[in-house]
Amino acid sequence: MEQLIEWLSQPWPWNVAGPLITLTMLLLLFVGKSFGVSDTLRTTCAIGGASRVSDFFDFDWRKQTWNIVFVLGAVLGGFIASTWLQQPEPIPLAQDTVLKLQELGINNAGEDYLPVEIFSWESLLTLRGFVVLVLGGFLVGFGARYAGGCTSGHAISGLSNLQLPSLIAVIGFFIGGLVMTYFLLPVILTL
């Protein structure tokens, strides 16, 4: 059992993870489903009776319950991984990255996946924490709805279906990530 936990706690190489993602996509295509997480909120709202308020939620949500099970599995898997499968060693970051993050106020760069200077209950009550966690979360949710899906839906499912809108969305995601990393995040971290 200890060997299994040790194996699971290590990053999987591309030649294992890639084929598993491909197999998942082939199975979803075979059964006529598309992968994406952002539609789960719509399904959850429809289950709660939001169709009485808006026609957007008036659809047969029972056909999407598999997606809710997937998201619940992802949450459970994240909990298991963060509780029992964390590696004790620091994350291997380039020394230049560590120095740049320290200049921006991230003192424990590489020690945790989520720096406590940004992702903690204490930082939530600061202007920086509010901007990153609350405003950032709202913008991600709005962007996923505006783009017609989330990054996983477009990048994995949409591109595997050769959908041009997904290609455009993925290019936009990358441009947005670069703008955030090099221009906005340094300003936000100085708040």
Side-chain angles (χ1 to χ4, degrees), residues 169-190:
V170 169
I171 291 169
F173 296 149
F174 274 95
I175 291 170
L178 291 171
V179 168
M180 180 65 183
T181 300
Y182 290 104
F183 301 111
L184 299 178
L185 188 61
V187 172
I188 292 170
L189 290 179
T190 60

Side-chain angles (χ1 to χ4, degrees), residues 51-151:
S51 61
R52 293 186 295 265
V53 178
S54 173
D55 290 340
F56 177 71
F57 300 106
D58 189 16
F59 68 100
D60 186 10
W61 56 265
R62 287 170 185 81
K63 292 182 179 177
Q64 291 296 319
T65 53
W66 72 273
N67 218 354
I68 292 177
V69 171
F70 171 81
V71 169
L72 290 175
V75 170
L76 180 62
F79 173 76
I80 291 170
S82 67
T83 304
W84 293 296
L85 301 177
Q86 280 194 359
Q87 296 180 9
E89 307 91 40
I91 302 162
L93 291 177
Q95 190 58 34
D96 286 346
T97 302
V98 171
L99 293 174
K100 286 180 183 178
L101 288 171
Q102 286 175 346
E103 289 173 10
L104 294 171
I106 306 298
N107 299 319
N108 65 344
E111 292 177 23
D112 294 314
Y113 281 100
L114 302 173
V116 295
E117 291 89 354
I118 301 173
F119 301 99
S120 67
W121 289 108
E122 293 81 24
S123 69
L124 178 62
L125 302 176
T126 66
L127 178 60
R128 172 175 51 187
F130 181 82
V131 167
V132 170
L133 297 174
V134 177
L135 184 62
F138 172 78
L139 289 173
V140 166
F142 174 79
R145 186 69 252 153
Y146 188 71
C150 59
T151 53

Side-chain angles (χ1 to χ4, degrees), residues 29-56:
L29 289 171
F30 180 73
V31 297
K33 306 282 186 192
S34 63
F35 176 75
V37 176
S38 58
D39 277 343
T40 305
L41 178 60
R42 180 181 182 210
T43 304
T44 306
C45 291
I47 290 170
S51 61
R52 293 186 295 265
V53 178
S54 173
D55 290 340
F56 177 71

